[in-house]
């Protein structure tokens, strides 16, 4: 198969769809790999690294799309890329269709084979291709949240870890999934007081078993959320409904109950956000303020640490890329139940129910 790795052109996205190590494995399996010139620069991988691994370098993004049977990316295609995508072409990337009707309609029109990293699902119901980016985003959420709590950037002026004689900051984590647990782990490591909430008691029991005593668990409901937002300094939104739009756990009216300078980091922004006032931002302009509450809603958080993120992503996507390349998408999805759940749009038809539900189709 001919596999193409284009340069990501979304605002401030420095990751790349595959490392030279991934390219090496594809070439070893007799596939042709085209990499757009300088696609890996942001992640620390140069053209020469890809050439040494066996890739062929192309100058422009339209050449990569035109010559490739399968496109391996990181983020969903944006407007400028829609016209490049061909009928029957496999596009393997993060799509998050439920949060963008224009993107969904564009991919239906293109009649491509859209396989979404975020809906590939194993027998335990976990999402193996979303997990490493959720781990990065969960840890990064605390790093960014701690920064935006500083007064010069309109935060409350709170040091999360506190100091002797001064109580530590308080972190509220909504969702005890991968993002939530990683965020809680980082916040706890800084010495903050952490409350983590979920509706899944099995997850809360797990958190209670593995986290230190200053991480407390509480069942998630509106009453408890309203109680905690009044006293917590940093709120992390880490709620995920597989392939569907995230629920609004914090509504606009709740912002008035928070203290000025409270920071919200909504990691669920890719799926529409779990805060009603969430709107996607970029690393270039990451925050905005509503009712004196600082919102950090960058839609590609792991793009801030592309070296770590690209390696972590290729570690988990490569086995699936190899199956698709070796067998073709139909045979690969028939034989691999995990990969089959990644199918979102096939030749103009939406085949993932949650996408239809998101738009009332």
């Amino acid at each position: 198969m001919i596999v193409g790795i284009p340069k990501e052109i979304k605002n401030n996205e420095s990751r790349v769809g595959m490392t030279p190590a991934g390219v090496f494995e594809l070439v070893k399996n007799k596939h042709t790999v085209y990499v757009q010139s300088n696609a890996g620069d942001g992640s620390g991988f140069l053209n020469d690294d890809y050439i040494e691994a066996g890739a062929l370098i192309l100058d422009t993004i339209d050449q990569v799309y035109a010559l490739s049977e399968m496109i391996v990316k990181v983020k969903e295609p944006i407007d400028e890329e829609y016209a490049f995508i061909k009928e029957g072409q496999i596009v393997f990337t993060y799509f998050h269709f439920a949060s963008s009707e224009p993107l969904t309609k564009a991919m239906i029109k293109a009649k491509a084979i859209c396989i979404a990293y975020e809906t590939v699902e194993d027998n335990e119901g976990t999402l193996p291709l979303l997990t490493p980016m959720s781990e990065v985003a969960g840890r990064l959420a605390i790093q960014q949240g701690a920064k935006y709590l500083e007064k010069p950037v309109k935060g409350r002026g709170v040091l999360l870890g506190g100091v002797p004689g001064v109580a530590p900051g308080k972190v509220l984590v909504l969702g005890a999934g991968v993002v939530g647990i990683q965020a809680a782990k980082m916040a706890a490591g800084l010495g903050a007081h952490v409350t983590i909430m979920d509706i899944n008691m099995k997850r809360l029991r797990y958190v209670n078993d593995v986290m230190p005593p200053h991480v407390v668990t509480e069942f998630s409901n509106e009453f408890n959320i309203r109680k905690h937002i009044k006293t917590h300094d940093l709120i992390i939104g880490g709620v995920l409904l597989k392939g569907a739009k995230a629920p609004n756990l914090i509504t606009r009216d709740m912002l008035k109950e928070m203290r000025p300078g409270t920071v919200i980091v909504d990691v669920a922004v890719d799926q529409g956000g779990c805060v009603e006032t969430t709107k996607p931002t970029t690393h270039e302009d990451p925050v905005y303020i509503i009712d004196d509450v600082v919102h950090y809603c960058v839609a590609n958080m792991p793009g801030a640490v592309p070296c770590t993120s690209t390696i972590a992503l290729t570690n988990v996507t490569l086995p699936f890329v190899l199956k698709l390349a070796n067998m073709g998408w139909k045979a690969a999805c028939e034989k691999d139940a995990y990969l089959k759940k990644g199918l979102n749009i096939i030749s103009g038809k939406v085949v993932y129910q949650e996408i239809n539900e998101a738009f009332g189709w």
Side-chain angles (χ1 to χ4, degrees), residues 84-307:
F84 300 146
I85 297 171
K86 303 179 294 186
E87 183 173 346
Q89 190 171 46
I90 302 166
V91 184
F92 195 27
T93 188
Y94 289 116
F95 276 108
H96 300 288
F97 280 121
S99 65
S100 176
E101 191 170 343
L103 169 68
T104 307
K105 287 182 173 177
M107 293 303 101
I108 290 170
K109 183 180 178 182
K111 295 186 176 179
I113 312 302
C114 300
I115 307 176
Y117 292 160
E118 72 274 8
T119 65
V120 172
E121 184 180 338
D122 65 18
N123 292 333
E124 285 74 48
T126 59
L127 307 171
L129 304 192
L130 191 61
T131 295
M133 295 304 96
S134 296
E135 289 169 336
V136 171
R139 294 182 175 208
L140 199 56
I142 299 301
Q143 194 168 301
Q144 297 296 338
K147 179 171 74 178
Y148 285 101
L149 274 171
E150 296 172 7
K151 202 65 179 176
V153 283
K154 308 301 183 186
R156 288 201 67 234
V158 170
L159 181 66
L160 277 184
V163 291
V166 181
K170 289 188 171 184
V171 179
L172 176 64
V173 180
L174 302 177
V178 176
V179 167
I181 286 177
Q182 295 301 322
K185 183 186 294 184
M186 288 293 280
L190 287 172
H193 180 280
V194 183
T195 302
I196 185 166
M197 306 180 77
D198 203 294
I199 57 173
N200 185 334
M201 286 304 301
K202 186 177 180 182
R203 295 297 294 175
L204 293 182
R205 289 188 181 99
Y206 170 75
V207 172
N208 206 62
D209 284 344
V210 300
M211 291 289 180
H214 59 292
V215 177
V216 298
T217 58
E218 194 159 337
F219 192 80
S220 180
N221 55 42
E222 184 178 342
F223 183 89
N224 287 339
I225 292 172
R226 283 185 180 273
K227 175 180 68 176
H228 286 302
I229 60 174
K230 297 173 184 176
T231 59
H232 283 66
D233 306 298
L234 172 60
I235 299 168
I236 307 295
V239 178
L240 174 72
L241 300 179
K242 293 166 192 169
K245 193 176 184 308
N248 282 336
L249 300 185
I250 294 179
T251 54
R252 173 66 189 263
D253 67 291
M254 291 185 188
L255 300 187
K256 297 188 187 305
E257 299 181 37
M258 301 178 192
R259 293 174 296 186
T262 298
V263 175
I264 296 174
V265 178
D266 195 348
V267 185
V269 60
D270 270 341
Q271 294 291 116
C274 60
V275 179
E276 187 179 359
T277 46
T278 286
K279 59 183 181 183
T281 61
T282 67
H283 291 295
E284 195 170 76
D285 188 15
V287 298
Y288 56 93
I289 298 172
I290 298 177
D291 292 340
D292 295 322
V293 174
V294 180
H295 294 61
Y296 178 99
C297 304
V298 175
N300 62 327
M301 286 178 64
V305 285
C307 182

Side-chain angles (χ1 to χ4, degrees), residues 3-14:
V3 180
I5 316 293
K7 183 177 175 66
E8 298 294 325
I9 56 175
K10 189 167 184 173
N11 185 297
N12 275 267
E13 180 51 73
S14 300

